[in-house]
Amino acid sequence: MLVSNDPAAPTEDPDATLLRQLVLARKRPDGVLREQLIMTRLLGRHVANIRRIVTWRAYSQRPSDADIDDLVAGVLIRVADALRKEVDPSSSLNGLIAVNVEWEVIDYVRRRRRRAREVHPDIEHLPEPAAPEQPTLADEARALRERIAGLSDRDRQIMAERMLLGLKPDEIASRHGVHRRVVDTATSRALKKLQASEELSDVRHAREAQAARAGRDDRDAQRPIDRRGGSDA
């Protein structure tokens, strides 16, 4: 049995083989389809490595999966364009990929920064939200007159002098030449009408709750306390 002592021939780089086939395909008149197939096989061998490098290079920008897909596609397009212009079978395809990954990531970062400064035209021309208007004293006075519109003219005038001008009941009675009880009655009617309105429902409920608490406190205070410190049952 004969055994060859010659060293085994070194295995050729698959990229170099595909690059050589790419050059030969371009020399053939009908080599367009074959060139596309070789280019697909050549670039397909490096997709996983390109994705890994792109993810690491663009990590600081926190890219999404869709961004990574776009970056990988951009690198593949750049490398394919470079190979269409010139193919050197002796050159390193990894070096060409590394250069184009660098430029694709740089362009990605620039786009992100440019978009961050852009303002949509519809948003740019939106008016500033108006601050809610606080009711003035005149508004409150007008609302008060509307709520007591069902009163008689004299009762409305008495309420206006009492609530708006701040006159005392005796002063109002003197101005109208009536007894103090007439002023108290007109004021009571107006207050009952106000208390029955929906606008003052929260105030009415608060006063009822306050009165209930005051009643409980009075009852607790009136309970006799025995010598042991407890209250009588």
Side-chain angles (χ1 to χ4, degrees), residues 2 6 8 12 23 26 31 42 61 64 83 85-86 88 96 114 120 133 142 150 180 209-210 223 227:
L2 298 176
D6 296 336
E12 188 177 13
V23 173
R26 289 180 178 177
L42 181 62
Q61 301 296 319
S64 63
L83 292 176
K85 296 177 182 178
E86 181 180 1
D88 183 4
L96 181 62
R114 184 172 62 252
H120 195 279
E133 297 182 358
R142 183 166 50 254
R180 162 70 182 269
Q210 183 179 6
R223 289 180 179 177
R227 294 179 180 179

Side-chain angles (χ1 to χ4, degrees), residues 57-62 67 102 104-119:
R57 295 291 297 176
Y59 175 77
S60 62
Q61 301 296 319
R62 299 294 190 272
D67 292 335
E102 186 73 18
E104 186 67 23
V105 172
I106 290 174
D107 288 345
Y108 168 73
V109 173
R110 289 174 178 172
R111 290 194 300 269
R112 288 283 296 266
R113 292 177 179 175
R114 184 172 62 252
R115 291 171 183 171
R117 294 192 297 265
E118 292 177 353
V119 178

Side-chain angles (χ1 to χ4, degrees), residues 51 54-55 58-59 61-72 108 112:
R51 175 175 291 275
V54 162
T55 304
Y59 175 77
Q61 301 296 319
R62 299 294 190 272
S64 63
D65 291 340
D67 292 335
I68 297 296
D69 292 339
D70 292 341
L71 287 169
V72 172
Y108 168 73
R112 288 283 296 266

